[in-house]
Amino acid sequence: NELREEAEGYLIEGSSTNSLLNSQDLEGTGWTPPDGSGSSALLLSSNNLAPDGTLTASLLEDTDATLARYIRQVVTVTSSLTESSSVHVKQGTSDVCGLRCSFSGGGGITRFQGVDFSFITKTFSGSVSGIKLSYDELAGGWFRIIMAITSEIENNTIDFRAYPSSVTDSSATGQSFMWGCQVEALPFATSYIPTTVSPVTRSADNVSFEFAGNMILDVYSVSVEVSVLDVAEIGIGTNTRKTINQVDGSANHRSFLDTDSSRYVSIAGSDGIDTINIVDSQQGVSLVTVRNGDFLEVASDGVFSGTPDLSVTNIPSTLTTINVGSHGLSSQYLYGHIRNLRIYDFALTQEEVEL
């Protein structure tokens, strides 16, 4: 299980499944043929340079000034209270492209959303309700646009449509490059998972390292830089990104560093993390935990916050492994990046924390 090193640090994600078939072959099984018939867009070519450096991106065109044309795939998924849809896009002759998804299931409730994304202003337009929109800007003029449910609905059918021109203006025409479509049962988009004739599940990133077991049990410091993927709305169904800013059954906040015996090398205690809100940020945040005898404190970007915690369990003397980015290598995954992880066998001073 090799670490994936990126510019932001090492990427850690839980397991996720891309439910769309032929996610980068837009004329493959599962897709409505992109031949310009009916409401379909026309596939002009499928050997264009994609974000991953392969010649697998498609150039799609809408020449109809009376109808907004699209590529389409309808998938049935395991019922979930959260879903996200995403597609990689690049400007062709059109200044905008569109993404439209309907999420339907439990109780006959349907969320139906269609929005345009402007390549020029990098903004979305269109009416949305219960949906969060975001984008990632990539190299080579590519963007990944993302639509995610932000209010509970039990889904089992998703109608995914991507438009080379506008979804909101049926008179608009033009071309856009498209690649890497994804539908997954999370309230944010994870790293792209390519598929062919069936859905594909990416395994969780289980990261751990051996520990010498020679640390002073009640005096230590842990520092790390963390950034998280796009917003995971707290309180939505079975939201899985619980590793940071998560309250467990005993009301103590879990750390994203935990041990193989379910004790925690704390990036959080029952008080310290409350005022450190990094769940909704993709920006890097420096976290430092200082344990000095009877108390533990947490600092964010060099500033201590919250009340020192007096009830944190010591690191066990028998510890041999520390797991990073998950709870026991099985749940509460970080879904983000870490870098510069350091563990000290002494308590850092205020001046050292600020460095």
Side-chain angles (χ1 to χ4, degrees):
N1 190 17
E2 295 183 3
L3 282 171
R4 292 177 285 170
E5 187 173 8
E6 301 182 342
E8 301 89 345
Y10 289 110
L11 176 62
I12 298 177
E13 298 178 300
S15 175
S16 189
T17 298
N18 185 357
S19 298
L20 291 176
L21 309 184
N22 290 297
S23 58
Q24 56 196 42
D25 177 10
L26 303 185
E27 55 184 343
T29 300
W31 295 101
T32 300
D35 56 9
S37 63
S39 299
S40 294
L42 179 63
L43 176 64
L44 297 180
S45 61
S46 56
N47 60 345
N48 302 281
L49 191 63
D52 67 348
T54 63
L55 295 175
T56 54
S58 297
L59 178 60
L60 293 144
E61 182 178 51
D62 177 0
T63 59
D64 193 333
T66 63
L67 179 68
R69 294 182 175 272
Y70 50 80
I71 58 170
R72 181 189 187 194
Q73 186 172 152
V74 179
V75 293
T76 300
V77 299
T78 302
S79 291
S80 169
L81 294 175
T82 59
E83 294 287 345
S84 65
S85 300
S86 60
V87 59
H88 295 75
V89 293
K90 180 179 178 180
Q91 185 177 10
T93 61
S94 177
D95 290 341
V96 300
C97 65
L99 178 60
R100 171 188 178 274
C101 294
S102 65
F103 308 90
S104 61
I109 301 173
T110 298
R111 297 215 185 278
F112 174 90
Q113 306 292 340
V115 297
D116 289 338
F117 175 75
S118 170
F119 293 108
I120 307 302
T121 63
K122 304 176 186 178
T123 57
F124 291 94
S125 60
S127 177
V128 296
S129 175
I131 296 291
K132 176 173 176 60
L133 302 169
S134 60
Y135 72 89
D136 295 329
E137 187 168 3
L138 310 175
W142 283 94
F143 296 86
R144 188 187 192 188
I145 56 176
I146 303 162
M147 177 182 290
I149 295 177
T150 59
S151 58
E152 289 192 16
I153 177 173
E154 187 174 357
N155 302 285
N156 54 40
T157 300
I158 297 177
D159 187 340
F160 177 97
R161 304 183 188 187
Y163 296 69
S165 187
S166 173
V167 62
T168 61
D169 181 3
S170 59
S171 66
T173 61
Q175 304 170 357
S176 290
F177 296 92
M178 293 188 176
W179 177 85
C181 304
Q182 187 152 304
V183 166
E184 55 191 316
L186 287 171
F188 49 89
T190 64
S191 58
Y192 171 57
I193 306 168
T195 68
T196 53
V197 296
S198 61
V200 172
T201 299
R202 181 195 58 243
S203 298
D205 294 315
N206 290 326
V207 182
S208 62
F209 59 89
E210 292 185 359
F211 182 72
N214 59 356
M215 181 180 273
I216 301 174
L217 300 185
D218 59 354
V219 180
Y220 59 83
S221 304
V222 179
S223 69
V224 68
E225 294 176 38
V226 182
S227 60
V228 296
L229 298 183
D230 198 14
V231 120
E233 298 291 338
I234 298 301
I236 296 181
T238 54
N239 173 15
T240 59
R241 194 171 68 191
K242 299 176 178 177
T243 317
I244 291 180
N245 211 20
Q246 165 65 18
V247 181
D248 70 8
S250 62
N252 288 319
H253 285 274
R254 294 299 195 190
S255 151
F256 88 88
L257 257 150
D258 76 271
T259 76
D260 56 1
S261 59
S262 296
R263 294 183 176 88
Y264 295 84
V265 180
S266 297
I267 294 294
S270 61
D271 294 304
I273 202 72
D274 296 62
T275 55
I276 301 176
N277 178 21
I278 68 171
V279 173
D280 293 346
S281 173
Q282 290 179 282
Q283 303 301 315
V285 176
S286 174
L287 295 177
V288 179
T289 291
V290 177
R291 175 69 186 271
N292 190 359
D294 293 332
F295 69 90
L296 177 143
E297 291 185 287
V298 179
S300 173
D301 288 337
V303 179
F304 284 100
S305 61
T307 304
D309 187 4
L310 304 179
S311 59
V312 178
T313 304
N314 286 333
I315 301 173
S317 59
T318 57
L319 176 63
T320 59
T321 303
I322 289 181
N323 304 321
V324 181
S326 70
H327 176 198
L329 303 182
S330 61
S331 64
Q332 300 184 10
Y333 284 90
L334 173 67
Y335 287 101
H337 296 87
I338 67 164
R339 65 180 181 180
N340 294 337
L341 171 62
R342 301 180 183 185
I343 299 178
Y344 304 89
D345 60 357
F346 58 90
L348 293 172
T349 66
Q350 175 69 61
E351 291 73 20
E352 290 169 330
V353 167
E354 292 173 356
L355 293 178

